[in-house]
Amino acid sequence: MKLQVLVLFATLAVAVAQDFLQEDENRDSTDDADWERFKSKHKKKFKNKDRERIRKNTFVQHNRQIRKHNQIGKSSYKLQANQFADWSNAELEQLKGEIDTDNEIPGPVVSTDILRQSVPDAVDLRKSSCMPDVKYQGGCGSCYSFAATTPIEFQRCLKTGKLVTLSEENIVDCSQKYGNAGCNGGLALRAWNYVKDIGINTEEAYPYQGEETLCEYSASNYGGNVTSWAYATRSNDEEVMKAVVANYGPLAVSIDANDWEFYSSGVFSTPTCSNISTNHAVVIVGYGTDESSKKPYWIVRNSWGSEWGQDGYIYLERGVNMCAVSKRAVFPTAY
Ligand SMILES: *[C@@H]1O[C@H](CO)[C@@H](O)[C@H](O)[C@H]1NC(C)=O
Ligand SMILES: *[C@@H]1O[C@H](CO)[C@@H](O)[C@H](O)[C@H]1NC(C)=O
């Protein structure tokens, strides 16, 4: 841990030094105009000129990559210099926070018999009144807690007829014994192991802080529970995943989100995404096929706020294990 911190600081120091060295080289008027627009659109404020210079350098680098991607225009998706465009790589990492593991975590797997049930060509659970608004994890590696709450919130709402949102902070603060690490990452299925034993408080009673604090679970603020969880597939079978979404609701998945930060629209598909290792947890809430490109997609709910992507969602290419989407697809049975 200490070594990691040192390495992080060393990396930051080098990054800062490089930012100063590269300052203002090759900058053109588009960069300046884009920066001014970005600052006012996202109400960015800086402590002093040096801070602003560092942020601007980061922005310019990102903005050029984004413009290049969009200009080439061969891709099925567009990027945009969104609110994260002046964040350093270390900060962008904090937007994720899944602890990947290659060791198989034991758990039941859905039988492929589920394919005999009704599996429509398209499903969009965003249209359901049981789908909560998209949330924002901030600079805390707590994606797994957001991936854990959505399926419980949704299933519980279907059963009770009432949407009550649940506490990610509860999971961040209290599920360490189950293998999670607060703002330093975790897994949705480990959060469910916690919720299975203890329960989870409502969002209202235990609001999100974006940093790890003392566990304050209180039985009197009970918001729901999980009696079990299962894998949709252990063999990258995206047809079974479809059937699970159609028949059980939101499905938590692990993904490689290294190229997701500046996603804007279209069906995300890139050869640079890993199909093996993952660093982020998100939730599949539907699927379909893009009319113009004919690409099949998943509708994926993120926890980067509703300003990001398509009102907080991304369309991810389906059927090719894009970004390792089928590596760890899990869902709970929730009450
Ligand atoms: C979870 O819900 C089930 C079903 O309602 C209930 O039997 C069980 O006692 C609950 N567990 C906890 C820890 O509250
Ligand atoms: C990952 O992609 C490679 C190259 O396309 C392929 O051979 C491999 O089977 C894929 N692995 C998984 C787990 O999807």
Side-chain angles (χ1 to χ4, degrees):
M1 189 66 201
K2 272 197 184 124
L3 182 65
Q4 281 175 344
V5 171
L6 281 176
V7 171
L8 179 64
F9 275 114
T11 316
L12 281 175
V14 170
V16 169
Q18 280 172 349
D19 278 336
F20 276 114
L21 289 176
Q22 289 168 5
E23 202 236 322
D24 280 332
E25 258 175 52
N26 320 312
R27 181 159 296 149
D28 61 34
S29 56
T30 317
D31 291 331
D32 292 334
D34 285 357
W35 171 246
E36 292 305 323
R37 235 193 325 271
F38 167 82
K39 268 199 308 186
S40 82
K41 177 167 182 202
H42 300 291
K43 302 187 173 62
K44 298 272 179 177
K45 295 263 182 291
F46 307 96
K47 277 205 187 107
N48 56 47
K49 286 258 175 284
D50 283 347
R51 290 282 174 92
E52 175 164 357
R53 196 158 54 213
I54 294 169
R55 290 286 169 193
K56 184 172 175 179
N57 269 313
T58 308
F59 171 85
V60 167
Q61 283 167 28
H62 287 146
N63 193 39
R64 286 181 183 173
Q65 289 162 11
I66 291 162
R67 285 211 314 260
K68 195 164 151 199
H69 171 94
N70 291 342
Q71 271 159 13
I72 293 172
K74 284 212 174 95
S75 159
S76 55
Y77 65 97
K78 292 252 185 254
L79 300 176
Q80 67 173 340
N82 58 22
Q83 66 273 34
F84 307 129
D86 66 337
W87 285 28
S88 68
N89 288 339
E91 288 168 331
L92 293 175
E93 269 324 290
Q94 281 298 317
L95 273 179
K96 297 156 196 163
E98 193 226 29
I99 298 178
D100 193 16
T101 166
D102 286 328
N103 297 333
E104 187 160 324
I105 297 170
V109 186
V110 173
S111 159
T112 51
D113 287 351
I114 194 176
L115 292 171
R116 296 204 204 111
Q117 294 181 36
S118 153
V119 186
D121 289 338
V123 165
D124 187 352
L125 301 178
R126 288 176 302 181
K127 294 178 182 148
S128 165
S129 56
C130 282
M131 184 60 66
D133 292 341
V134 167
K135 303 179 194 177
Y136 179 50
Q137 73 182 77
C140 164
S142 55
C143 59
Y144 65 95
S145 64
F146 291 85
T149 50
T150 306
I152 310 175
E153 289 163 341
F154 189 89
Q155 286 186 25
R156 202 173 145 75
C157 171
L158 287 188
K159 283 171 181 137
T160 64
K162 200 164 157 243
L163 177 60
V164 176
T165 59
L166 301 174
S167 172
E168 287 79 22
E169 191 66 33
N170 186 173
I171 293 169
V172 168
D173 292 348
C174 310
S175 66
Q176 287 84 345
K177 275 191 200 134
Y178 296 78
N180 290 333
C183 282
N184 295 316
L187 290 173
L189 59 87
R190 290 183 177 145
W192 293 333
N193 285 339
Y194 164 78
V195 176
K196 197 168 112 183
D197 286 353
I198 309 291
I200 183 168
N201 283 169
T202 63
E203 191 103 69
E204 193 181 14
Y206 199 157
Y208 190 61
Q209 307 281 321
E211 60 184 332
E212 191 181 330
T213 56
L214 278 182
C215 176
E216 287 172 71
Y217 174 85
S218 155
S220 58
N221 295 322
Y222 177 87
N225 97 32
V226 162
T227 53
S228 64
W229 60 264
Y231 290 99
T233 176
R234 292 262 65 186
S235 55
N236 308 107
D237 188 337
E238 290 179 61
E239 286 304 308
V240 176
M241 287 166 61
K242 260 172 79 176
V244 166
V245 174
N247 290 285
Y248 294 100
L251 178 61
V253 292
S254 299
I255 45 133
D256 172 21
N258 273 335
D259 301 310
W260 283 34
E261 291 92 351
F262 309 125
Y263 166 81
S264 166
S265 62
V267 180
F268 190 86
S269 168
T270 174
T272 61
C273 226
S274 171
N275 67 357
I276 297 163
S277 57
T278 59
N279 59 14
H280 192 40
V282 288
V283 184
I284 292 180
V285 301
Y287 55 83
T289 304
D290 186 59
E291 299 262 320
S292 57
S293 69
K294 303 281 178 255
K295 264 196 202 313
Y297 59 74
W298 292 115
I299 304 169
V300 181
R301 175 186 164 94
N302 204 347
S303 47
W304 294 351
S306 57
E307 270 185 68
W308 179 84
Q310 291 289 302
D311 299 322
Y313 292 82
I314 179 172
Y315 298 101
L316 180 70
E317 187 177 14
R318 173 166 58 87
V320 293
N321 193 21
M322 181 55 64
C323 303
V325 68
S326 57
K327 177 175 182 173
R328 196 181 294 111
V330 282
F331 66 103
T333 302
Y335 293 91

